[in-house]
Amino acid sequence: MKRTLAQRMTEGGYDGYAYAYPHKTAYRPLNPRVPLAEAWRGEEKRNLFLYVHLPFCEMRCGFCNLFTTVQPGAGLVDQTLAAIYRQSSAVSGAIAPENISQAAFGGGTPSFLSALELEQLFNHLSLVWPVQWHRIPVSFEMSPGTVTREKLDLLRRLGVDRISLGVQSFVPEDLISLKRPQPSGELERACHSIKAGGFSVFNVDLIYGNEGQDARRWQRSLDRALEWQPEELYLYPLYIGRLTNLDRSGRHPGAHRRDLYRQARDFLLAAGYRQISMRLFRRWNVIRDTDYCCQEDGMIGLGPGARSYTRALHYSTEYAVGQIGVKKIIGDFNARAKSTFAAADYGVSLDEQEQRVRYIIKSLLRADGVSPSAYQRSFGSPMTGDFPQLEELTELGLAVESNGCLRLNDEGLAWSDTIGPWLYSDAMTARMSACELA
Ligand SMILES: C[S@@+](CC[C@H](N)C(=O)[O-])C[C@H]1O[C@@H](n2cnc3c(N)ncnc32)[C@H](O)[C@@H]1O
Ligand code: SF4
């Protein structure tokens, strides 16, 4: 029987981070393969998001089960970049993009690449994609140990306007508990260099909820973060996934994650930040305009672990967790001939009902909420008729109607990781749980 939202909340509520619906565990081999020209026919291609995934890190952090490999040799990096170039040319040729409106480089740790490799990567992308880096938001993820002045100067010159630094915590005891070793002074040096680089947005990622982290220790980390005056902060509740080092050591997130969340939210709101979603806080005077609309526009993912989305098809390379699986997928990706990249062979189709679910999840979990009239314009039917369960949100005091939108209130946003999975369709939930890696 489907659990109600109230039941899910009683059971703890950290059911999953619904940033991309559906999760990759819903993807399967596509048989027959879908030519990209066909998948993208009829799609709007003026406001595309270009995402480049670089699956390399200096070390594997204890909490992390992202698609990445540690300490790759130079040969593996070269082969992966060469495969990305083949993929990029094949994909661009197949889908005929009109304009890239936003871009991001994520990982892994894209700054694991050398300055020369980064410059070559941007040069390649500039030749192949209709992109004007200096006119659009371009985000780039870094870890403290890979920050250098040379790379920052280059990225700034190439058009990157946002640096996102994986800090996780400013308190050494937390980093030990999270099993993310870091030489003393490295984080401060990285923050200094990024601030001196003059990027429009400096984002700091923090994780809360490791076993030893109490309210005082969390506050110390938040205070230290604000000393750097970041334009954005991403606050991630700790999840301990399968096959991570913390999981193997029998560790669990602390029972106090929601208390730490509320503490941080109240602190950041008082310090002049706006809440954009449960995880994202932005300084009140920072505006990051883009024509790309995450509910409706397409995403082009390049690299071994990237996903791509049209309205009706989400696809990627195969899914794996654990080092052996990830290494095999990178090896297979690197061995592919250019022509094979012009078709999707692993993914999931979204029928119109699934597209509606995705639209609701992507809109509702942002502080702006979901507009019933915009929904009706997109899908031709009333939102309340299609999603009668949304009433439960107002009944439970988690959402309000304001200015014509249904919005999660403070308490509702705190339960985002319950509300997202509660909205998943039964069919997609079954498909995701049937995946042996789920
Ligand atoms: C791709 S990583 C960031 C860049 C870089 N690799 C680094 O770690 O410095 C994206 C972010 O996701 C968050 N994250 C990853 N795994 C997590 C987990 N299991 N629980 C909570 N947050 C997690 C971390 O805050 C991390 O900085
Ligand atoms: S948190 Fe970042 S640096 Fe650590 S393993 Fe994950 S992607 Fe790599």
Side-chain angles (χ1 to χ4, degrees):
M1 239 246 314
K2 200 172 162 100
R3 285 179 299 156
T4 63
L5 181 54
Q7 279 167 333
R8 284 175 178 267
M9 289 167 70
T10 321
E11 287 158 18
Y14 283 97
D15 293 341
Y17 179 17
Y19 69 99
Y21 175 81
H23 188 264
K24 261 192 187 179
T25 44
Y27 293 19
R28 299 284 185 278
L30 296 169
N31 214 343
R33 290 151 56 88
V34 184
L36 295 189
E38 196 178 290
W40 284 86
R41 192 170 297 136
E43 291 288 308
E44 176 64 72
K45 293 178 215 162
R46 273 178 307 189
N47 291 314
L48 296 169
F49 194 120
L50 181 66
Y51 176 75
V52 185
H53 175 245
L54 296 154
F56 310 119
C57 292
E58 302 164 281
M59 66 194 163
R60 171 65 74 169
C61 306
F63 53 85
C64 183
N65 67 355
L66 294 175
F67 187 116
T68 190
T69 187
V70 293
Q71 290 297 334
L76 186 67
V77 174
D78 287 350
Q79 288 160 22
T80 307
L81 287 171
I84 290 176
Y85 296 157
R86 291 198 296 282
Q87 179 193 31
S88 165
S89 307
V91 173
S92 178
I95 74 174
E98 288 171 35
N99 181 46
I100 303 295
S101 290
Q102 192 165 340
F105 295 77
T109 308
S111 48
F112 186 85
L113 297 186
S114 68
L116 180 64
E117 287 162 340
L118 288 171
E119 186 154 28
Q120 287 167 344
L121 175 61
F122 271 82
N123 287 346
H124 160 88
L125 295 171
S126 303
L127 287 174
V128 171
W129 295 91
V131 57
Q132 291 185 285
W133 303 108
H134 288 271
R135 295 201 169 177
I136 61 167
V138 183
S139 179
F140 194 94
E141 285 176 6
M142 300 184 107
S143 63
T146 56
V147 171
T148 67
R149 288 282 175 110
E150 186 195 12
K151 288 183 205 172
L152 290 168
D153 289 346
L154 173 75
L155 292 170
R156 178 86 207 287
R157 183 164 58 74
L158 292 168
V160 169
D161 71 328
R162 176 181 187 267
I163 295 290
S164 176
L165 185 67
V167 172
Q168 322 314 349
S169 175
F170 283 94
V171 177
E173 292 93 311
D174 286 332
L175 295 177
I176 293 166
S177 166
L178 290 168
K179 295 189 190 279
R180 168 144 161 143
Q182 188 167 270
S184 107
E186 186 174 79
L187 178 54
E188 284 66 24
R189 269 196 301 281
C191 290
H192 252 299
S193 302
I194 295 169
K195 285 304 279 185
F199 294 86
S200 311
V201 178
F202 173 27
N203 172 75
V204 166
D205 283 347
L206 297 177
I207 294 182
Y208 57 91
N210 66 72
E211 277 170 349
Q213 185 185 41
D214 58 14
R216 277 181 51 201
R217 210 152 104 178
W218 180 218
Q219 191 60 47
R220 247 163 63 212
S221 194
L222 291 166
D223 288 340
R224 295 275 308 282
L226 288 208
E227 285 170 17
W228 296 102
Q229 304 186 320
E231 282 73 24
E232 290 183 353
L233 292 111
Y234 256 92
L235 308 184
Y236 291 94
L238 174 63
Y239 274 90
I240 298 186
R242 272 183 56 197
L243 299 182
T244 55
N245 192 331
L246 290 186
D247 178 42
R248 284 198 297 263
S249 332
R251 305 277 284 281
H252 300 282
H256 58 325
R257 279 178 291 180
R258 203 159 281 103
D259 293 336
L260 296 181
Y261 161 77
R262 291 190 178 112
Q263 175 188 342
R265 175 198 63 201
D266 294 348
F267 173 67
L268 292 178
L269 293 180
Y273 286 81
R274 282 182 295 136
Q275 186 161 21
I276 309 295
S277 66
M278 176 174 128
R279 286 171 176 74
L280 174 57
F281 293 80
R282 188 175 281 153
R283 248 206 343 247
W284 67 272
N285 55 351
V286 174
I287 295 173
R288 209 151 179 268
D289 270 341
T290 169
D291 293 331
Y292 164 79
C293 162
C294 72
Q295 291 95 335
E296 298 187 340
D297 289 317
M299 158 92 68
I300 292 155
L302 302 177
R307 314 161 198 227
S308 302
Y309 316 133
T310 68
R311 275 171 303 172
L313 183 70
H314 288 197
Y315 59 94
S316 70
T317 56
E318 241 175 284
Y319 179 61
V321 288
Q323 275 302 285
I324 297 169
V326 168
K327 277 215 158 77
K328 178 173 181 319
I329 292 175
I330 297 177
D332 292 349
F333 178 85
N334 292 352
R336 283 175 72 163
K338 180 175 169 186
S339 60
T340 67
F341 286 118
D345 53 17
Y346 191 78
V348 62
S349 297
L350 272 67
D351 62 18
E352 204 179 297
Q353 181 51 27
E354 293 297 355
Q355 292 174 35
R356 290 168 196 244
V357 173
R358 180 167 188 270
Y359 183 100
I360 294 290
I361 292 173
K362 298 283 286 181
S363 313
L364 191 63
L365 298 188
R366 293 184 68 87
D368 288 347
V370 53
S371 149
S373 53
Y375 176 91
Q376 177 132 13
R377 270 197 305 282
S378 290
F379 296 105
S381 54
M383 181 178 94
T384 43
D386 290 350
F387 293 92
Q389 69 268 45
L390 291 176
E391 247 180 48
E392 202 181 334
L393 290 172
T394 27
E395 283 164 12
L396 291 171
L398 300 173
V400 289
E401 280 174 39
S402 81
N403 296 332
C405 285
L406 179 69
R407 289 175 214 270
L408 296 182
N409 56 19
D410 283 355
E411 193 54 16
L413 282 171
W415 290 95
S416 293
D417 285 12
T418 325
I419 294 169
W422 166 70
L423 286 166
Y424 296 176
S425 75
D426 291 347
M428 209 52 95
T429 305
R431 200 176 153 104
M432 293 191 288
S433 348
C435 172
E436 56 194 33
L437 298 169

